[in-house]
């Protein structure tokens, strides 16, 4: 496992976001990856099949790195119009019953292949969809199966995403009994008009009560999700949501930029273009959020994440131990990720593997005692080197050629000569400060446009794609 350099991050000043010229904003407002992986999912290959996936799991067993587990629960009672996740809308609860039965078989099969019984699992995350679509007893049973197959480290992070609209007091009690210590819930926006438009009506009191139950049952960390760039949002309007969020005192906040991709998510065609805030307005909403949350004592982790100073995410940032994977920013660096359930993604030292996206296809694979592999990718040396660079920039806000050279046995300045030659332009735009040796450190402005900086090192981006496959960076 590669150990990240242990240096504190450069200081962050939110006032720097008020000084960005319109011309720079325009040039940097482009589609770009969120870099939860490198290479990113659009370049993975359907030729990567079940045999490759099995090989990756067996190689993971031989490598013995700590494990992370992601479980996808795809079911929702209703469709949120803005949503870009892989979901199944149904009120037929028996579909969830059958899904859990098959998921248990996949858990046991994958655990055996990757030698999980002899390894430490340091992170478990349930996402969706809506994991609390499951009944409380199903949540406990499923978590019991995971813990039996993937022995959990004493300090494991065990998190679940919930929808406050369908999460009951009994759900929270079951979540606590099952051993979860982190919970994340969507808010998006408390404005009634926005909620009506996105088809997600969720009164403030509902969220307030859910967080109180979580505190009462001892869940160590509560995260709330916000989304900016939704229909009818404005800076003044979103200020009211920020004020209400502050009263809830969450441990973490994730504020995602709405990705308007109607060619990928047809339900988004319901939103008229004139309803959506334009890039300068959207950035003003984000700027005010950053200013207000940092003024309230939260640490700006990066991109769109905030954490209270004592939260382990903020501590990992301060120590240089922050990491990024498909769960976003995390403290658990250098893990192999096993993805379970329809559309889930596995991430290993040398490969990515994604499960099939259609439920019927996933059912058939599991019923046949097969891995439900859809696509993936084997990484070559260049991919591994660039992955490390992008991790450093995303999480430690630096590029240090000497550190990359030591890890990979290359002349990093020569290897990245083209990228280094382009740094003066980024420096002139106020995104970074070069060190005279080919390296750099992000400025406060660059921390916000970190995706654009990382794109400099991405060898797989296709500037000639017919349609953009990534959300915009503003």
């Amino acid at each position: 496992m590669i150990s990240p350099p242990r240096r504190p991050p450069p200081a962050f000043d939110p006032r720097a976001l008020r000084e960005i010229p319109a011309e720079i904003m325009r040039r940097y407002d482009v589609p770009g990856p969120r870099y939860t992986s490198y290479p990113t999912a659009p370049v993975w290959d359907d030729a990567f099949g079940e045999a490759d996936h099995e090989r990756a799991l067996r190689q993971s067993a031989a490598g013995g790195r700590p494990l992370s587990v992601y479980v996808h629960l795809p079911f929702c009672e209703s469709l949120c119009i803005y949503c870009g996740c892989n979901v199944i809308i149904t009120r037929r609860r028996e579909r969830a019953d059958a899904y859990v039965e098959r998921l248990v078989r996949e858990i046991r099969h994958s655990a055996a292949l990757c030698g999980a019984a002899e390894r430490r699992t340091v992170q478990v995350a349930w996402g969706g969809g809506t994991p609390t679509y499951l009944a409380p007893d199903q949540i406990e049973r499923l978590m019991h199966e995971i813990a039996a197959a993937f022995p959990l480290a004493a300090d494991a992070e065990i998190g679940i995403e919930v929808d406050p609209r369908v999460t009951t007091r009994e759900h929270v009690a079951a979540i606590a009994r099952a051993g979860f210590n982190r919970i994340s819930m969507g808010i998006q926006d408390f404005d009634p008009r926005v909620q009506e438009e996105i088809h997600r009506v969720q009164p403030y009191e509902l969220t307030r009560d859910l967080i109180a139950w979580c505190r009462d049952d001892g869940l160590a960390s509560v995260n709330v999700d916000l989304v900016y760039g939704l229909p009818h949002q404005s800076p003044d309007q979103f200020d009211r949501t920020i004020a209400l969020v502050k009263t809830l005192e969450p441990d973490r906040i994730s504020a995602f930029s709405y990705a308007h991709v109607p060619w990928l998510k047809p339900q988004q065609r319901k939103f008229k273009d004139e309803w959506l805030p334009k890039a300068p307005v959207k950035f003003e909403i984000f700027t005010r959020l950053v200013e207000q949350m940092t003024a309230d004592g939260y640490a700006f982790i990066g991109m769109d994440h905030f954490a209270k100073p004592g939260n382990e995410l903020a501590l990992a940032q301060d120590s240089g131990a922050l990491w990024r994977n498909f769960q976003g920013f995390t403290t658990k660096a250098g893990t192999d990720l096993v993805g379970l359930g329809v559309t889930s993604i596995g991430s290993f030292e040398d490969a990515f593997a994604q499960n099939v996206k259609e439920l019927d296809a996933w059912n058939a694979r599991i019923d046949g005692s097969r891995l439900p592999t859809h696509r993936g990718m084997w990484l070559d040396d260049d991919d591994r080197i660039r992955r490390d660079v992008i991790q450093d920039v995303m999480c430690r806000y630096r590029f240090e050629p000497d550190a990359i050279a030591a890890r990979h046995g290359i002349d990093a300045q020569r290897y990245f000569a083209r990228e280094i030659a382009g740094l003066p332009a980024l420096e002139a735009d106020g995104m970074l400060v070069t060190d005279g040796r080919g390296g750099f450190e992000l400025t406060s402005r660059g921390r916000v446009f970190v995706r654009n900086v990382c794109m400099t090192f991405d060898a797989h981006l296709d500037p000639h794609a017919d349609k953009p496959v990534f959300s915009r960076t503003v």
Side-chain angles (χ1 to χ4, degrees), residues 385-406:
I385 293 168
R386 292 177 184 276
R387 177 184 60 188
D388 272 7
V389 171
I390 288 172
Q391 274 282 355
D392 282 348
V393 176
M394 290 292 295
C395 296
R396 287 167 282 284
Y397 323 113
R398 297 184 176 94
F399 169 53
E400 298 175 303
D402 290 347
I404 295 297

Side-chain angles (χ1 to χ4, degrees), residues 115-130:
E118 308 301 321
R119 303 168 69 180
R120 294 169 60 251
T121 295
V122 298
Q123 183 183 45
V124 177
W126 291 21
T130 305

Side-chain angles (χ1 to χ4, degrees), residues 45-61:
D45 191 347
D46 290 355
F48 183 103
E50 183 181 4
D52 295 288
H53 195 173
E54 180 172 341
R55 176 184 157 200
L57 286 164
R58 292 190 184 280
Q59 287 184 186
S60 174

Side-chain angles (χ1 to χ4, degrees), residues 86-328:
N86 290 288
V87 300
I88 297 170
I89 308 302
T90 181
R91 292 181 180 270
R92 293 171 50 200
R93 298 288 169 173
E94 67 272 15
R95 298 188 74 184
D97 296 338
Y99 186 80
V100 169
E101 294 303 319
R102 290 186 173 95
L103 195 53
V104 168
R105 300 208 294 271
E106 186 186 10
I107 288 167
R108 294 172 178 173
H109 187 195
S110 296
L113 288 173
C114 73
E118 308 301 321
R119 303 168 69 180
R120 294 169 60 251
T121 295
V122 298
Q123 183 183 45
V124 177
W126 291 21
T130 305
T132 44
Y133 187 94
L134 301 185
D137 63 318
Q138 287 178 311
I139 290 173
E140 290 191 76
R141 183 208 166 189
L142 187 57
M143 191 63 228
H144 174 79
E145 291 284 350
I146 292 169
F150 292 87
L152 302 177
D155 63 345
E157 291 185 358
I158 310 171
I160 185 171
E161 297 176 5
V162 305
D163 181 342
R165 300 172 300 165
V166 300
T167 303
T168 65
R169 184 70 184 85
E170 291 73 24
H171 274 117
V172 176
I175 286 167
R177 287 195 301 269
F180 289 91
N181 47 34
R182 283 150 183 82
I183 193 165
S184 180
M185 61 194 69
I187 292 174
Q188 324 323 345
D189 193 318
F190 278 128
D191 185 275
R193 185 185 184 196
V194 175
Q195 290 187 354
E196 288 281 355
E197 203 64 67
I198 67 175
H199 199 215
R200 188 188 175 97
V201 176
Q202 181 179 319
Y204 165 82
E205 293 76 14
L206 190 69
T207 309
R208 178 200 63 197
D209 292 348
L210 176 55
I211 290 178
W213 298 338
C214 295
R215 302 293 192 203
D216 289 344
D217 284 352
L219 289 161
S221 183
V222 174
N223 178 84
V224 301
D225 290 342
L226 303 175
V227 177
Y228 64 97
L230 292 172
H232 310 307
Q233 285 182 332
S234 69
D236 289 342
Q237 169 270 336
F238 202 71
D239 280 349
R240 293 189 286 275
T241 288
I242 297 171
L244 289 172
V245 168
K246 285 182 181 181
T247 69
L248 301 173
E249 299 184 335
D251 301 283
R252 299 181 184 179
I253 298 168
S254 302
F256 298 107
S257 172
Y258 166 61
H260 190 57
V261 287
W263 56 90
L264 297 176
K265 298 296 176 180
Q267 76 272 11
Q268 293 181 355
R269 294 172 187 157
K270 178 180 181 291
F271 298 155
K272 296 180 180 179
D273 287 344
E274 60 265 29
W275 294 353
L276 300 172
K278 303 306 179 189
V281 176
K282 188 177 180 182
F283 193 75
E284 173 71 11
I285 294 171
F286 175 72
T287 297
R288 290 198 193 184
L289 174 67
V290 173
E291 290 174 343
Q292 293 180 59
M293 296 318 305
T294 54
D296 210 45
Y298 283 79
F300 178 56
I301 301 301
M303 281 183 60
D304 41 28
H305 284 59
F306 305 84
K308 286 186 174 179
N311 186 269
E312 67 271 6
L313 205 62
L315 297 176
Q317 181 190 55
D318 290 342
S319 69
L322 197 65
W323 189 255
R324 188 161 174 81
N325 63 15
F326 287 101
Q327 278 72 63

